[in-house]
Every structure is written in C-alpha cells, then in structure tokens.
Amino acid sequence: MANVVVIGTQWGDEGKGKVVDLLSAHAKRIVRFQGGNNAGHTLVVHGERFIFHLIPSGILYPDTRCLIGNGVVVDPEVLLEEIKELVDRGIAISPEKLGLSERAHLIMPYHKAIDIAREKAKGDSKIGTTGRGIGPCYEDKVARVGIRAVDLTELDILKEKIRANLGEKNFYLTNLFGCEPLEYQSILEEYLSLSHELSPFIVDVSMELDEAMRRKENILFEGAQGTHLDVDHGTYPFVTSSNPVAATACIGAGIGPKGLGSIVGIVKAYTTRVGSGPFVSELTDDAGNYLQERGQEFGATTGRRRRCGWLDLVAVGYSVRINGINHLAITKLDVLTGLDPINLCIAYEYQGRRLESVPAKLSALYNCNPVYEEIDGWKEDISGARAFEELPKNVQTYVRRIEEFVGVPVSIISVGSGREDTIFCKNPFDDTTA
Ligand code: IMP
C-alpha cells in the first residue's frame, strides 16, 4: 500500500488537477478532503478540456473510485451539474464510481447569499472570495448548525434544520445587508428534489478507506487551493475557510495520521494569486503580462485574471515545512520560455532586515520587498521534453536551484497542458521511504 497526498504550495491554481490526473493512473481511490466548488481543476485529456470544481480529478479513469470526504463543503446543485456534464460527455458516473461522505456539510442558498452580501458590503477591503458560500458554510459547521449530506436521508430533520437556520439567516441578510429574505418553501423543495438524486451516492468514506487500506490499495488524496490560502497558515485574513494542507487529509477523509505516505507539493514555475492580499513577488510590468497571457492565467471558477509574479521560494519553503513535503511537482515550466533573465525570490527584505520565512503580521508582509536571484532564461521550446536530460541547460539549472533551495527532490515536471507533456523523474507511489 502507498498513499499519496497532493498539496498546493502557493495560492492555489498550481496545476494540481493535471498532477492528480496523472497519479490517478496508480491509485484505486481518489479522495477530496477540504474546500468546495471554490476550486477549479482544469484537465486536458486527448485534446479535450475538462474543468472540475467538486468531483476529484481522477474521475476520467475507468477503474478508479472517487470520494468526497467529510471535510469538503458540497453544493449539491453543483455536484449534480458536474455529474450530468460528465455523463453528457460519455463518462459514466454511478454510485460505484463516486461516493459522497455522509458527514460532508452542504452549501445552502443562504450561504451563497451571505458570502456575496458581505463581500459587497466590504467594498475595497473585500477578500475577493469566489462567492460560492464556502466561508459561511464552514462557519455553520463550527457553529454546529450545519446541514450534512446525511440529513438528506432524514427529511424531518432536514426540514427542521432549514427552517431554524433560515429564520436566523434572513434576519441577518435583511437587517444588516438590506437583502431580500430567502423563501423557506422554495429551498425545501429544491433540497428535497436534490436529496432524491444524491442519496444513492452517500457513503461512509472513512470506513471505505479503512477497508481499502487493509486491502493495501493505493489511495490518492487530492488537495484543493494552496497552503498560503490556509485559514491557519496562510496570509490571513486573505485566505479561504479550510486548511488546504496535508494534515487535513486525515481529518477531512477520516483516517489516522499514519495513513499518509508521500506528500507531493505542487509548485507552479512562477507565482499567481486570485483575489486580494499581499503578494511579495508580484509583477505589474511586461513580464507579469507575459506570464498571465502565456500561462492563460484566468480563474477556472470565476474567470478572474490572476495576478502573476516570479517564483517565491520563501513561500514554497514555508509550505514544505508546514506540509512535510517530500516530492515536488513543478508545473507550467514551459510558460517561462522566452523570459530572460528569470528571477527567483529567495528572501524578503523588511525594514532593512532579511526574512527567511513568511511573517504572520500582514502589515509587515505588505511591506516586504523581494530579494531576487537571477537565473539565465531560455528560448527553446521545451514542451516535447520527456526526460530531465532533454531539457536545455538553463532549464535544468532553474529546476535544480528550486530543489536545492527547498531541500526536496523534483519528481514530476510538467512542460505543457496535456497528460503526455510530462517528465516523470520518480513515481511518489513507489516511494518506500515515505
Ligand atoms: P473563498 O474560498 O471563496 O472563500 O475565497 C477566499 C480566497 O481564496 C479568495 O482570495 C479566493 O480567490 C481564493 N480561492 C479560493 N479557492 C481558490 C482556488 O481554488 N484557487 C485560487 N484561489 C482560490
């Protein structure tokens, strides 16, 4: 048995979907454990483009089973739409193929309404959320008033919970934000109909994983977002509401810490961020536009233009520490082709002092300057390379410097968007030292 956890080391959008898709070929089960449909994973398989928000990216393999763990917040309407879209494109999705944890919390219409109303009220100080109701749903989970997937199978409880929650949410929405109240009857009818369609998918994910581990099956845990969007370890308050770090695979899927094997950190060859918040190596010049355009840096969920900058190794090193990363996967390396020189951010400078880690104090982070190390760029098209040795010397130097700086070897290098545009140096599932 080997389990692998895939984690974003930056602010999300590192290209986790492609790596999860590749690693899925070696796994029997693929599990999402946090976040919700704020995520957007784009895959290109045989020239066809797929975007998933909730369903694990491994769904395209015929023999894998995909699971949505208890730590995920699920918008039932979005899940059903994704299932339908896949079915329309000829990919069979049945309860044998996909399972939803009975303990996963459901995103309700009032969560979305609150998310949107709050952001609007915040004006310039908004977080720039995806507006999908993620934060308000996690708030209700912790406030112990959330509605869980299992409630879809107990309709009396579902009705009672919707009624109780709606009274409070409508008071909040109308009195604080001047919004129209939401209607009980229409929400109830919508969720009753959704419950009918979703019930067959509802399972005990923790139990299933335990049984799979006893059979020594390979399991892949698919993180969403990135470490710097983590509510504890990220650039708070400009973060998401979950913990997109490796340890969450245990809590959000229901397994013990010893069940985690290799931790693969996904590092995009440069840095991007959507939404507000500090970004030390951000580029607002031609190089930034080059990365944005060549890298097609638009949010898969909201379509927003992503902010772009040089690779921030301080941020990546921090993620290596928080997650215990022992494999790196470098993505979108081909996007850097044509830029010369290329900069790597190797430290921050704050009030004349050199910082080696990300400060917790937001005002300090906003005023940090990047300390750059210059690397020679390259002009060659690298998208056809299938072995490390086939990469031009300057590309090899860039990759080796990343490895050396963060102290973790690179196992996977992505040089294009297709499945085949990949250099596999080492398969994390074969790592017996993990
Ligand atoms: P929320 O997760 O919708 O509450 O948004 C909070 C912050 O996390 C915002 O800055 C979003 O842009 C960011 N965010 C959430 N999900 C993703 C993602 O999958 N990729 C990149 N940024 C994300």
Side-chain angles (χ1 to χ4, degrees):
M1 177 194 82
N3 293 339
V4 170
V5 188
V6 171
I7 289 295
T9 62
Q10 294 153 313
W11 281 268
D13 310 315
E14 296 94 352
K16 292 180 292 294
K18 173 176 164 172
V19 176
V20 169
D21 173 63
L22 284 169
L23 293 177
S24 296
H26 307 273
K28 271 264 194 224
R29 282 177 171 68
I30 296 107
V31 193
R32 266 202 62 184
F33 53 87
Q34 49 71 226
N37 61 312
N38 46 351
H41 296 164
T42 308
L43 305 183
V44 181
V45 180
H46 306 310
E48 252 198 280
R49 202 175 150 86
F50 294 84
I51 300 183
F52 300 116
H53 299 284
L54 263 178
I55 293 185
S57 307
I59 198 82
L60 299 177
Y61 287 89
D63 298 325
T64 57
R65 175 159 163 78
C66 289
L67 296 168
I68 299 176
N70 57 279
V72 178
V73 287
V74 176
D75 186 327
E77 202 185 339
V78 172
L79 180 56
L80 286 170
E81 267 167 27
E82 272 184 24
I83 294 174
K84 186 174 175 308
E85 200 189 320
L86 283 164
V87 171
D88 288 348
R89 291 174 75 173
I91 295 152
I93 308 292
S94 64
E96 281 70 51
K97 183 88 185 127
L98 179 71
L100 164 65
S101 165
E102 51 195 6
R103 293 169 194 266
H105 280 248
L106 301 182
I107 296 180
M108 304 297 291
Y110 44 81
H111 293 139
K112 290 181 260 188
I114 291 171
D115 196 358
I116 293 164
R118 264 195 204 145
E119 283 283 276
K120 201 168 150 203
K122 278 190 176 143
D124 284 349
S125 57
K126 70 177 180 196
I127 288 167
T129 72
T130 57
R132 303 295 193 262
I134 308 294
C137 184
Y138 277 118
E139 285 169 31
D140 276 5
K141 173 178 178 171
V142 179
R144 292 154 294 179
V145 295
I147 296 179
R148 301 185 299 168
V150 72
D151 296 329
L152 293 176
T153 62
E154 265 189 305
L155 298 183
D156 286 347
I157 291 187
L158 179 69
K159 286 180 190 169
E160 201 182 295
K161 280 190 164 184
I162 295 179
R163 191 186 293 283
N165 280 342
L166 200 59
E168 197 178 312
K169 306 300 178 194
N170 272 342
F171 181 84
Y172 183 62
L173 280 165
T174 53
N175 288 297
L176 198 63
F177 300 114
C179 297
E180 288 296 314
L182 300 176
E183 235 192 86
Y184 169 73
Q185 200 53 35
S186 64
I187 296 180
L188 183 64
E189 276 164 26
E190 186 192 345
Y191 276 70
L192 287 179
S193 134
L194 294 169
S195 78
H196 187 67
E197 290 179 78
L198 273 185
S199 293
F201 292 95
I202 297 173
V203 292
D204 184 335
V205 168
S206 168
M207 187 97 94
E208 185 176 326
L209 292 178
D210 187 56
E211 284 162 9
M213 287 194 280
R214 284 173 202 277
R215 286 195 299 270
K216 305 214 176 303
E217 289 176 8
N218 286 356
I219 302 169
L220 179 61
F221 294 92
E222 172 178 1
Q225 289 86 42
T227 303
H228 292 275
L229 287 172
D230 184 284
V231 67
D232 284 88
H233 301 287
T235 46
Y236 191 88
F238 297 101
V239 292
T240 190
S241 306
S242 66
N243 291 102
V245 292
T248 311
C250 297
I251 299 163
I255 65 158
K258 287 186 179 160
L260 302 186
S262 295
I263 317 289
V264 181
I266 313 294
V267 181
K268 182 149 62 180
Y270 49 96
T271 310
T272 61
R273 169 162 209 169
V274 245
S276 321
F279 184 171
V280 177
S281 64
E282 183 166 14
L283 290 167
T284 49
D285 58 2
D286 286 350
N289 290 336
Y290 187 90
L291 292 170
Q292 203 275 327
E293 278 159 32
R294 223 179 120 85
Q296 287 291 299
E297 295 295 351
F298 293 96
T301 301
T302 58
R304 288 180 287 180
R305 253 176 104 89
R306 295 178 185 142
R307 300 153 66 193
C308 296
W310 296 120
L311 179 56
D312 182 344
L313 286 179
V314 180
V316 175
Y318 179 93
S319 299
V320 165
R321 168 161 57 87
I322 299 286
N323 293 289
I325 288 166
N326 56 353
H327 292 258
L328 295 183
I330 299 190
T331 59
K332 300 187 96 164
L333 193 55
D334 52 306
V335 174
L336 291 177
T337 301
L339 283 174
D340 196 10
I342 295 171
N343 285 312
L344 280 172
C345 174
I346 53 160
Y348 298 161
E349 191 264 339
Y350 175 62
Q351 293 183 339
R353 281 186 299 126
R354 187 181 167 103
L355 305 185
E356 312 287 347
S357 183
V358 184
K361 202 190 279 178
L362 205 65
S363 60
L365 192 55
Y366 267 121
N367 289 297
C368 280
N369 291 314
V371 176
Y372 284 129
E373 182 174 294
E374 217 173 83
I375 304 258
D376 290 335
W378 59 89
K379 290 198 170 56
E380 300 91 328
D381 175 9
I382 60 168
S383 59
R386 296 293 175 265
F388 186 77
E389 299 68 37
E390 291 173 22
L391 291 169
K393 197 180 134 292
N394 290 353
V395 186
Q396 293 191 14
T397 305
Y398 189 71
V399 173
R400 291 291 180 234
R401 183 65 183 117
I402 297 170
E403 284 183 322
E404 182 194 50
F405 188 91
V406 301
V408 179
V410 169
S411 296
I412 297 167
I413 301 171
S414 170
V415 290
S417 58
R419 244 183 208 168
E420 59 289 354
D421 305 325
T422 310
I423 299 171
F424 244 106
C425 307
K426 182 167 184 179
N427 183 349
F429 276 108
D430 294 339
D431 186 354
T432 49
T433 61

